């Protein structure tokens, strides 16, 4: 008998075996190592860490390898693994002001204290396929360090003051939210209820799908809830993570992570009581995911529309719309569940449709009796 | 015993019993107690990532994981069948992470996790039926905002649900909802029974078993305690009716079960067979037939 979705156990075993074969590809081609993925596909690793909500480049490389390069599947693998980790505390807030900056640019200021540091960016490359990369490259001979001029991207040694601080001195920009020491909500422990506060929104955006966030942020630039952003500062580099162990009572550094932080400067608010001033949007992403950080900052700002008394109505301003649909693991899970058998419901619909059509035919063939 | 039955075995090393950590299980059990105390009310919970995609039964899986213990006997069905791929996957997950005994027997199971069906064999006291729920909110397609639907539940303001049924009557001459048919629980909360065919709705009413519903992706739990009234929404002049054509199962002859319509060969011959594979198999066995899996 024809049994499309039944006969499960053996079919599943066979599917797993086929998957492993596909993953490996042609065995004559050398197998990828995690080090290769981590070192040479770094942005894919960063994206998997962002959406997987777990900072671990090695495991992210493993997830990418296992997922055959599928970023959503890789993020999913990381999320599930993350869920099995014991949770022994919350870190202190990151001090991104103390970042070892490798890249820092501002679109709002021509120059700024500390300078613009381009770092490793593809922004000004011409997007021409580089056929030289078809063959393995010779490593650059030692001694040819990049020229250490301003803007060329050698890592800054000292601390870089925040670009937006100078606006703050004039009170042209709203003060950054103060840390009042209140407990920070945790979206992985407390179910989201609406309206969500800003911390919950930022947490959701931080693990949200880059593509979805970019699309929504783009919509806000095209008139669906315009927030007139400038890039106040993008900074990228390593920051220390500190934890206060209960038994010590003071903060100890437990490691360093690489992050991209983005602050936008947006148009004004102001009313009878408050002088007009610039507003802020904030984005933070693991690794060098600066596109993600920028989209997040634009959306953070557009989701503040209600708080700032702006006219509402655009999708990018709608908390429930943005936050409930940003998580690509939830979204793909539910969308792809359509592949599961639904034949019971479909059968119920089929019988219903037959009955409706029968009734329709009867009405049609006896129109006078219909009333 | 059938091929589905498997005695309790060793667990997968490196993971906690039934995958979830104990604190999470406790949270889910606490929320379930609240759900039982307020039948039909959706209780938010902080749903965890599971090793299956959200939307594939992670709500039900978390409920089962929070309840299951070494003495439990687990049955998992999807579309009524123990042998559909996702049911196999979930059953194996619990066999590996909780080491429990699994079964296809509705009578023997202490916990039955299901997607889209209620077993044909009547449940009894002490059994727990765990539903996988894709969309818990019965008003969702009438009001997309959670902040609004929660208010509507608080006020028991369910007029729009009746209007939507009335619109079906106006358009098609009858209520045209064949599955996920909304129910009123304990005469207070409007509830989605999950996408079971409306054929199964009457089995929920005053069921001796505890009915638990888990929506992982939407982070909601709800419950119907034993012997609670579960009334399918209807009008005085349009009572709830199961309108299926009279047919019988081509394999076991049952006239009282929900039937799948199956293409049986390449010529397009169709047969009708019980969607509940265990019920069908038992009936075939009782008639001395050699059992054919639907």
């Amino acid at each position: 008998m024809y049994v499309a979705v039944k006969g499960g156990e053996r079919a599943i075993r066979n599917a797993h075996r086929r998957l492993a074969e596909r993953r490996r590809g042609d065995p004559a081609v050398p197998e990828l190592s995690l080090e290769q993925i981590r070192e040479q596909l770094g942005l894919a690793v960063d994206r998997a860490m962002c959406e997987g909500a777990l900072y671990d480049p090695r495991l992210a490389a493993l997830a990418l390898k296992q997922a055959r390069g599928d970023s959503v599947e890789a993020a999913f693998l990381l999320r599930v693994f993350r869920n099995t980790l014991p949770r022994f505390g919350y870190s202190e807030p990151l001090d991104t002001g103390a970042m070892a900056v490798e890249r820092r640019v501002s679109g709002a200021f021509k120059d700024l204290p500390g300078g613009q540091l381009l770092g490793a960016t593809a922004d000004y490359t011409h997007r021409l396929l580089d056929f030289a990369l078809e063959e393995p490259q010779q490593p650059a001979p030692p001694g040819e360090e990049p020229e250490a001029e301003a803007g060329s991207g050698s890592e800054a040694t000292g601390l870089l003051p925040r670009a937006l601080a100078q606006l703050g001195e004039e009170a042209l920009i709203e003060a950054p939210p103060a840390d009042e020491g209140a407990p920070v909500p945790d979206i992985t422990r407390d179910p989201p209820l609406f309206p969500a506060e800003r911390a919950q929104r930022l947490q959701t955006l931080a693990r949200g799908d880059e593509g979805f966030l970019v699309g929504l942020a783009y919509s806000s630039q095209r008139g669906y809830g315009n927030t007139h952003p400038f890039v106040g500062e993008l900074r990228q580099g390593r920051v220390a993570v500190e934890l206060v162990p209960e038994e010590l009572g003071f903060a100890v550094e437990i490691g360093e992570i690489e992050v991209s932080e983005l602050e936008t400067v947006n148009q004004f608010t102001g009313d009878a009581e408050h002088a007009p001033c610039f507003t802020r949007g904030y984005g933070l992403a693991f690794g060098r995911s600066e596109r993600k950080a920028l989209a997040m900052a634009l959306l953070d700002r557009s989701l503040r529309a209600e708080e700032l008394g702006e006219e509402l109505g655009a999708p990018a301003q709608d908390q429930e719309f943005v936050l409930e649909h940003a998580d690509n693991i939830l979204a793909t899970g539910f969308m792809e569940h359509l592949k599961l058998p639904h034949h019971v419901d479909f059968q119920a619909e089929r019988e219903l449709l037959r009955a409706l059509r029968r009734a329709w035919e009867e009405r049609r063939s006896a129109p006078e009796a219909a009333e | 015993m059938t091929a589905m039955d498997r005695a309790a075995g060793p667990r997968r090393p490196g993971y906690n019993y039934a995958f979830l950590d104990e604190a999470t299980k406790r949270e889910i059990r606490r929320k379930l107690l609240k759900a039982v105390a307020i039948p039909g009310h959706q209780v938010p919970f902080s749903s965890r990532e599971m090793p299956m995609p959200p939307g594939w039964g992670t709500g039900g899986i978390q409920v089962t994981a929070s309840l299951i213990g070494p003495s439990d006997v687990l049955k998992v069905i999807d579309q009524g069948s123990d042998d559909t791929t996702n049911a196999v996957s979930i059953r194996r997950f619990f066999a590996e992470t909780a080491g429990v005994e699994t079964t296809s027997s509705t009578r023997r199971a202490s916990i039955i996790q299901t997607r889209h069906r209620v077993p044909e064999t009547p449940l009894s006291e002490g059994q727990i039926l765990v539903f996988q729920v894709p969309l818990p909110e019965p008003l969702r397609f009438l009001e997309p905002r959670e902040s609004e639907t929660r208010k509507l539940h608080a006020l028991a303001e369910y007029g729009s649900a009746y209007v939507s049924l009335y619109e079906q009557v106006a358009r098609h001459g009858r209520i045209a909802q064949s599955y996920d048919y909304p129910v009123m629980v304990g005469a207070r909360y409007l509830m989605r029974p999950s996408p079971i065919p409306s054929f199964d709705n009457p089995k929920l009413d005053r069921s001796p078993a505890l009915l638990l519903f888990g929506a992982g992706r939407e982070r909601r739990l709800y419950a119907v305690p034993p012997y609670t009234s579960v009334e399918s929404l209807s009008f005085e002049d349009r009572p709830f009716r199961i309108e299926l054509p009279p047919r019988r199962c081509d394999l076991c002859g049952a006239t009282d079960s929900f039937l799948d319509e199956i293409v049986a060969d390449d010529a397009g011959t169709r047969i009708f067979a019980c969607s509940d594979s265990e019920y069908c198999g038992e009936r075939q066995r009782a008639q001395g037939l050699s059992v054919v899996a639907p």
Side-chain angles (χ1 to χ4, degrees):
Chain A
M1 184 182 294
Y2 176 73
V3 280
V5 292
K6 302 186 178 182
E9 299 254 13
R10 205 178 61 221
I12 290 177
R13 263 201 313 279
N14 289 339
H16 290 176
R17 212 187 58 230
R18 292 293 293 271
L19 177 65
E21 286 169 13
R22 284 276 170 182
R23 178 184 302 124
R24 179 59 184 88
D26 181 351
V29 176
E31 187 170 342
L32 273 175
S33 72
L34 298 192
E35 288 69 29
Q36 285 170 331
I37 296 170
R38 188 172 134 173
E39 292 301 315
Q40 298 170 41
L41 297 175
L43 294 180
V45 168
D46 290 344
R47 180 168 179 179
M49 293 196 301
C50 283
E51 293 164 6
L54 180 73
Y55 192 92
D56 191 324
R58 186 178 161 79
L59 287 183
L62 172 60
L64 279 165
K65 180 176 178 179
Q66 186 178 336
R68 300 158 66 205
D70 180 345
S71 68
V72 176
E73 180 74 9
F76 182 20
L77 290 166
L78 288 177
R79 282 269 192 101
V80 176
F81 178 75
R82 173 195 202 276
N83 183 32
T84 64
L85 298 175
R87 171 172 304 233
F88 56 84
Y90 290 88
S91 76
E92 294 295 289
L94 293 183
D95 182 3
T96 51
M99 179 187 289
V101 176
E102 190 194 308
R103 165 166 165 75
R104 187 271 277 255
V105 292
S106 169
F109 302 103
K110 181 170 188 223
D111 204 355
L112 62 169
Q116 310 253 16
L117 294 169
L118 284 186
T121 180
D123 282 351
Y124 304 103
T125 60
H126 296 151
R127 269 56 170 217
L128 300 169
L129 275 178
D130 182 357
F131 296 108
L133 289 173
E134 283 186 301
E135 297 302 324
Q137 301 291 294
Q138 294 301 321
E144 269 192 48
E145 288 293 307
E147 297 165 54
E149 67 188 55
S152 70
S154 60
E155 188 168 317
T157 44
L159 296 185
L160 289 185
R162 290 185 177 282
L164 296 185
Q166 48 182 309
L167 289 175
E169 284 161 16
E170 275 185 83
L172 284 181
I173 193 163
E174 61 175 340
D179 179 10
E180 285 150 1
V184 178
D186 178 346
I187 58 162
T188 69
R189 298 289 133 163
D190 310 308
L193 296 172
F194 294 97
E197 54 186 281
R198 194 172 178 199
Q200 292 167 311
R201 303 198 303 252
L202 287 169
Q203 289 172 33
T204 307
L205 294 174
R207 49 163 55 189
D209 181 71
E210 180 173 311
F212 182 76
L213 265 50
V214 167
L216 277 172
Y218 177 48
S219 76
S220 79
Q221 290 183 281
R222 287 192 66 263
Y224 290 84
N226 201 340
T227 56
H228 307 279
F230 299 92
V231 169
E233 181 175 14
L234 159 68
R235 53 169 62 201
Q236 220 166 58
R238 307 192 71 84
V239 290
V241 179
E242 293 185 331
L243 185 87
V244 179
E246 263 180 47
E247 59 272 38
L248 290 185
F250 55 86
V252 291
E253 184 176 325
I254 56 171
E256 268 190 339
I257 62 172
E258 188 174 38
V259 295
S260 299
E261 183 188 52
L262 204 137
E263 274 199 286
T264 57
V265 182
N266 300 67
Q267 262 185 0
F268 336 113
T269 74
D271 54 32
E273 279 109 72
H274 304 92
C277 68
F278 286 121
T279 55
R280 297 170 190 259
Y282 185 81
L284 184 80
F286 285 150
R288 301 173 192 203
S289 315
E290 64 185 61
R291 185 189 302 124
K292 165 72 175 276
L294 179 54
M296 180 177 164
L298 262 58
L299 286 173
D300 170 45
R301 176 58 184 81
S302 69
L303 290 174
R304 297 180 62 206
E306 192 170 3
E307 168 204 342
L308 297 171
E310 292 166 344
E311 192 183 331
L312 302 175
Q317 297 169 325
D318 185 327
Q319 281 200 12
E320 292 205 32
F321 184 81
V322 174
L323 302 180
E324 288 280 48
H325 304 116
D327 189 309
N328 56 19
I329 290 157
L330 298 179
T332 54
F334 192 50
M335 190 192 72
E336 295 194 17
H337 104 283
L338 293 173
K339 295 182 290 189
L340 288 176
H342 282 79
H343 53 262
V344 163
D345 292 347
F346 185 70
Q347 179 63 18
E349 288 287 75
R350 189 148 56 153
E351 297 286 17
L352 171 63
L353 189 58
R354 282 175 183 145
L356 292 178
R357 286 176 66 93
R358 231 173 3 250
W360 185 83
E361 296 286 356
E362 282 162 17
R363 279 201 302 276
R364 226 164 98 99
S365 56
E368 67 281 359
E371 287 306 306
Chain B
M1 291 285 274
T2 71
M4 224 54 67
D5 292 20
R6 187 170 5 197
R11 297 196 292 111
R12 180 187 274 268
Y15 289 92
N16 192 40
Y17 185 82
F19 186 76
L20 289 174
D21 60 281
E22 295 305 315
T24 298
K25 290 184 197 172
R26 195 174 314 125
E27 182 213 336
I28 294 173
R29 287 195 297 264
R30 274 204 311 264
K31 302 273 163 80
L32 286 173
L33 286 175
K34 178 170 178 181
V36 167
I38 315 173
H41 169 64
Q42 299 167 56
V43 181
F45 81 115
S46 68
S47 188
R48 299 285 192 266
E49 281 87 2
M50 301 301 282
M52 299 80 159
W56 295 52
T58 53
I61 293 167
Q62 290 179 77
V63 169
T64 300
S66 75
L67 299 173
I68 205 162
S71 60
D72 276 306
V73 179
L74 178 69
K75 171 182 167 80
V76 183
I77 52 173
D78 185 343
Q79 314 293 302
S81 164
D82 298 90
D83 198 28
T84 43
T85 41
N86 207 43
V88 171
S89 165
I90 293 169
R91 184 169 52 245
R92 202 162 63 185
F93 174 72
F94 282 112
E96 286 175 9
T97 60
V100 290
E101 183 186 348
T102 58
T103 184
S104 59
S105 164
T106 299
R107 279 192 189 84
R108 283 196 59 232
S110 58
I111 301 176
I112 302 170
Q113 180 168 327
T114 180
R115 173 168 172 264
H116 292 196
R117 275 311 311 275
V118 177
E120 306 291 2
T121 305
L123 302 176
S124 52
E125 278 185 16
Q127 286 186 304
I128 299 177
L129 184 59
V130 177
F131 292 79
Q132 302 171 200
V133 180
L135 294 165
E137 179 48 67
L139 302 169
R140 180 59 69 234
F141 294 133
L142 308 169
E143 169 52 65
R145 279 165 209 288
E146 179 68 12
S147 42
E148 288 302 314
T149 51
R150 286 183 75 78
K151 276 181 225 161
L152 293 173
H153 282 293
L155 301 167
E157 178 51 66
Y158 296 134
S160 60
Y162 284 97
V163 171
S164 127
L165 289 187
Y166 172 75
E167 282 172 351
Q168 294 173 9
V169 174
R171 188 179 180 87
H172 298 297
R174 56 173 277 188
I175 293 173
Q177 179 127 13
S178 64
Y179 64 94
D180 218 345
Y181 191 107
V183 294
M184 193 66 85
V185 176
R188 172 58 182 84
Y189 280 99
L190 188 66
M191 184 188 96
R192 260 179 123 134
S194 87
I196 56 174
S198 55
F199 175 90
D200 282 340
N201 275 22
K203 297 179 192 156
L204 308 182
D205 186 34
R206 295 178 172 80
S207 164
L210 171 61
L211 313 178
L212 299 176
F213 297 80
R217 198 177 42 74
E218 298 278 340
R219 301 185 178 89
R220 295 291 184 273
L221 302 169
Y222 51 100
V224 176
Y227 303 109
T228 306
S229 83
V230 176
E231 203 183 329
S232 301
L233 236 51
S234 62
F235 300 105
E236 278 170 21
D237 56 345
R238 297 265 173 190
F240 172 80
R241 271 206 304 256
I242 298 161
E243 294 176 270
L244 287 175
R247 296 193 211 276
R248 49 191 292 135
C249 173
D250 287 322
L251 300 180
C252 76
T255 53
D256 59 354
S257 72
F258 188 86
L259 302 177
D260 288 339
E261 184 172 337
I262 303 167
V263 179
D265 58 27
D266 291 347
T269 310
R270 288 172 198 212
I271 63 157
F272 287 86
C274 296
S275 112
D276 184 334
S277 53
E278 189 251 355
Y279 181 74
C280 194
E282 285 300 306
R283 285 182 45 87
Q284 291 176 52
R285 230 183 313 277
Q287 296 164 55
L289 302 167
S290 65
V291 177
V292 178

